[in-house]
Amino acid sequence: MPLIVVATMLTPALAADAPPDEASRQALFQGLNLSVSPTPPTDIPGGAGNAGLVDASAFAWQEFIALNWPALQQNGQVVRDQPDPQAVFGSPGSGPLVWETFRHKVEIFPGSNSPSDPPHGYNSGTPGDPHGYSAPPVYVYSPTVYPRGGQVDACPGQPVVAQAPWINLDETSEIGLTDMYAGVLSNVAPSTSNSAPTQFRYLAKANSAEYNYVVDQNLWYAGPNTPLQTRIDAWTAGVSAGVPADPGSVVTLPAGTIEVKSAWRMLAPGEDASRYHTNTVRYYEADASGVPCYWQAEWALAALHIIQKTPSAPYFVFATFEQADNIVQPDGTPIENAAGAMVQQPVWATPTTPYLFYQDRANNPFVGTNDAYCDNIGSRLYYHEIPAAGDVQGTPVGGNICVNKRYEPIAYEIQQINTIVQKQIQDYNTSNGLSTSPWLNYKLVSVQAVPFNKSDIVTTFNSTRQRGSYYQANIVVETDYTLQQFSGRIADDNAPTDYPKGGNQPNFQNVYLPEGNSFKTYQMGGCMGCHGNAQLGGTDFSFLFGGNTLSAKPDLPDPDDAVEARAFYRARLSDLLSLPAEGTAAK
């Protein structure tokens, strides 16, 4: 099976005082080392800290291709994490993709939250897989809610299936802040099997490197005096003292750890399914007593986050991809092409309708809008802000907010890489007898290769410190103003803020990198900055650790469920910053 490869040359970042001419720019793109290959990259050539945006983007695309390769199947069973080298990339009906076989968060951190109830397969003793990582998927939530060993029952009318699918969409909000919807589905009526057909739903997964670390260290359950809490306490004590704890005493995920988050939705009647990767998903609705039960259907992949810890990036490299048709006019015509270049201006010039503006004020944040809520949705994306707990509401709640365009456009360098890779995929398709492939319709939006401060944002060509990298966000995973413009952390009222509380700590840092007997710190934005809050809370940039209370039951399409998620994310910071953890809303 042929691979499409171009010549090898590393691409150094260019000097800020010498803007490159077009020939120099094109030399960088033409010299890329890219292939349509099932072999995932282990690091950015030359190291993440020295990489230009071109090399960082090439690394992200190589991850995307390798992780979306069909997974290996042996003796009728899927082998998790392993690509099938004989399979054709993008071939329909070839089974789950490599990243789809990663363990879902509740396959690593079961909702039972018990030292005596490890992840399924743990005691398998399988040669080469002693903790049973490759056991077929089982999604374990609270045994109190679900007496069948924590497994969710089928909804009335949904046939019980012999084997759970690989795609388990048990999240319905953007980390408890926003519910996201596709206007193209507005004419699909709610039904017993889907009460919110317009709504996006989400999942989070991690690979064997994380799973094996968790089970080896007995970190799959949370609570006082657990091995996990002991490690969290050691980290936070070190941060408070300004002296890094020994890596063996804190949560230290190994290089090669990969986590993914994906967004999925139904396709509307008449939409071209060949433009999307689709698969069978499990999603959740309430039974007659209000307890989540499952339905299954064929849905489409709208977005994919990939974060990988590499030898040169202990803070993880963060990359995010989207399907090409996400951002459209009300009439459904695209705002961007498949590479991410804008092909027409939106009907409304502002990123959202209404236009939003937020500002920090000490203990008195406010939100404003300069327009009414959005009624003319058409085919556009739109979202609803979820009310914050407490008396202060920092975001506009109570109406539709339509998405017109990105807050940060896709960088020119990334557009060029997208065009090059999509051409390679097309050539690969031709060589392998494929007339088309869904992967021609996915694009890299942004990549974060290094942490840096907001004050260090530059406009330099090929720099990984551009504004789009600092504020990296996906339009269907981090949709609202708070997440599109994230910096530092999120205020208690859901508004974005650079400060832990109010406006009195402008130097709040959220990425801590040990350097000898001290830390190098940053106030990072976007995806890395958000996950930096997990690192600051003691779980090495991962929000999956200690999330067992969130895994008591899956989310329903109901804003109240999102409040539980919000409480968990806030708890990551509560001890270190002496902030009260937000309570869980009454059900």
Side-chain angles (χ1 to χ4, degrees):
M1 182 179 63
L3 300 178
I4 308 301
V5 184
V6 292
T8 301
M9 184 181 77
L10 300 185
T11 59
L14 300 185
D17 59 352
D21 57 27
E22 186 60 24
S24 298
R25 294 187 182 198
Q26 294 306 316
L28 290 176
F29 299 124
Q30 294 304 316
L32 285 173
N33 178 27
L34 282 167
S35 63
V36 180
S37 164
T39 303
T42 57
D43 211 343
I44 301 176
N50 300 315
L53 184 56
V54 172
D55 270 338
S57 301
F59 171 86
W61 261 112
Q62 293 288 188
E63 283 184 316
F64 183 85
I65 292 170
L67 295 184
N68 283 294
W69 206 271
L72 181 65
Q73 300 186 44
Q74 292 180 335
N75 301 320
Q77 181 172 331
V78 172
V79 182
R80 295 192 192 235
D81 287 24
Q82 297 300 312
D84 181 353
Q86 302 306 313
V88 175
F89 178 67
S91 179
S94 53
L97 309 176
V98 170
W99 74 263
E100 292 177 335
T101 71
F102 288 2
R103 283 216 170 198
H104 187 277
K105 64 184 181 185
V106 300
E107 294 186 89
I108 306 174
F109 304 96
S112 51
N113 194 36
S114 169
S116 61
D117 189 14
H120 71 97
Y122 174 78
N123 296 313
S124 70
T126 304
D129 186 14
H131 297 310
Y133 174 77
S134 275
V138 176
Y139 307 120
V140 176
Y141 296 91
S142 169
T144 302
V145 179
Y146 300 106
R148 193 168 56 90
Q151 296 186 55
V152 180
D153 293 324
C155 292
Q158 164 66 47
V160 177
V161 296
Q163 177 58 59
W166 295 100
I167 307 301
N168 182 46
L169 302 179
D170 65 347
E171 299 179 36
T172 59
S173 73
E174 297 177 0
I175 64 169
L177 298 181
T178 302
D179 290 323
M180 181 66 184
Y181 306 94
V184 70
L185 288 158
S186 295
N187 292 327
V188 178
S191 64
T192 301
S193 62
N194 193 340
S195 63
T198 59
Q199 189 165 6
F200 286 80
R201 307 201 193 196
Y202 308 91
L203 64 72
K205 286 175 172 273
N207 69 345
S208 59
E210 178 164 325
Y211 173 78
N212 288 323
Y213 173 80
V214 167
V215 296
D216 282 339
Q217 305 297 324
N218 297 311
L219 305 179
W220 68 79
Y221 55 100
N225 303 315
T226 61
L228 176 58
Q229 191 60 50
T230 298
R231 288 171 181 257
I232 289 174
D233 291 344
W235 168 266
T236 55
V239 169
S240 296
V243 179
D246 181 89
S249 68
V250 298
V251 176
T252 307
L253 289 162
T257 295
I258 302 175
E259 292 184 358
V260 296
K261 185 165 187 174
S262 60
W264 298 72
R265 69 169 177 87
M266 292 176 56
L267 289 178
E271 279 195 274
D272 184 356
S274 70
R275 293 181 58 81
Y276 294 82
H277 167 66
T278 61
N279 204 343
T280 300
V281 306
R282 176 172 290 188
Y283 64 97
Y284 298 89
E285 295 286 332
D287 65 16
S289 62
V291 174
C293 56
Y294 74 78
W295 289 91
Q296 295 188 177
E298 190 88 357
W299 281 18
L301 176 68
L304 182 66
H305 273 321
I306 305 170
I307 73 172
Q308 180 174 177
K309 191 173 192 178
T310 76
S312 69
Y315 43 78
F316 288 77
V317 175
F318 290 73
T320 190
F321 292 80
E322 287 182 25
Q323 202 274 343
D325 303 327
N326 284 341
I327 304 178
V328 297
Q329 302 277 31
D331 65 4
T333 57
I335 298 293
E336 299 174 346
N337 64 16
M342 292 187 68
V343 293
Q344 63 171 320
Q345 291 296 321
V347 174
W348 291 268
T350 56
T352 60
T353 302
Y355 171 65
L356 306 176
F357 58 93
Y358 299 68
Q359 180 174 332
D360 285 310
R361 288 188 174 182
N363 301 316
N364 187 27
F366 78 96
V367 61
T369 67
N370 71 350
D371 202 351
Y373 282 114
C374 181
D375 293 324
N376 180 27
I377 296 169
S379 294
R380 281 183 291 176
L381 302 172
Y382 66 101
Y383 62 92
H384 292 163
E385 293 282 13
I386 298 170
D391 297 328
V392 180
Q393 179 61 46
T395 55
V397 175
N400 301 326
I401 302 173
C402 289
V403 175
N404 301 323
K405 64 178 181 179
R406 301 182 194 280
Y407 280 87
E408 307 299 336
I410 296 175
Y412 168 83
E413 297 92 319
I414 294 176
Q415 293 178 30
Q416 298 301 304
I417 298 296
N418 289 344
T419 299
I420 291 168
V421 175
Q422 289 158 357
K423 175 62 165 57
Q424 288 182 279
I425 293 173
Q426 183 62 68
D427 291 344
Y428 172 90
N429 290 347
T430 300
S431 298
N432 286 277
L434 289 180
S435 59
T436 187
S437 163
W439 306 120
L440 292 169
N441 306 301
Y442 289 81
K443 56 193 170 191
L444 175 65
V445 174
S446 186
V447 58
Q448 293 175 313
V450 292
F452 58 101
N453 293 311
K454 188 188 301 184
S455 59
D456 295 327
I457 292 174
V458 300
T459 57
T460 310
F461 178 79
N462 200 30
S463 174
T464 57
R465 293 168 175 81
Q466 296 178 18
R467 183 179 174 90
S469 292
Y470 185 85
Y471 288 113
Q472 174 175 294
N474 191 294
I475 206 64
V476 296
V477 183
E478 298 95 11
T479 307
D480 72 351
Y481 182 104
T482 300
L483 296 174
Q484 287 282 313
Q485 299 286 277
F486 180 84
S487 174
R489 71 178 295 269
I490 299 168
D492 290 342
D493 64 352
N494 294 354
T497 176
D498 291 344
Y499 318 128
K501 197 145 181 115
N504 58 352
Q505 297 186 51
N507 296 318
F508 172 67
Q509 310 293 292
N510 57 5
V511 173
Y512 278 62
L513 301 184
E515 287 191 355
N517 292 322
S518 62
F519 290 97
K520 175 71 173 177
T521 63
Y522 302 88
Q523 187 187 73
M524 184 58 178
C527 297
M528 187 187 295
C530 185
H531 281 255
N533 288 325
Q535 186 224 22
L536 193 54
T539 56
D540 198 13
F541 293 92
S542 174
F543 278 111
L544 302 187
F545 285 80
N548 309 74
T549 54
L550 289 183
S551 301
K553 57 184 185 295
D555 279 355
L556 294 172
D558 176 353
D560 286 345
D561 293 294
V563 177
E564 298 178 356
R566 188 161 54 238
F568 167 70
Y569 289 101
R570 293 254 166 73
R572 277 282 175 265
L573 289 172
S574 61
D575 291 338
L576 186 63
L577 300 176
S578 299
L579 298 177
E582 182 177 327
T584 299
K587 301 299 291 180

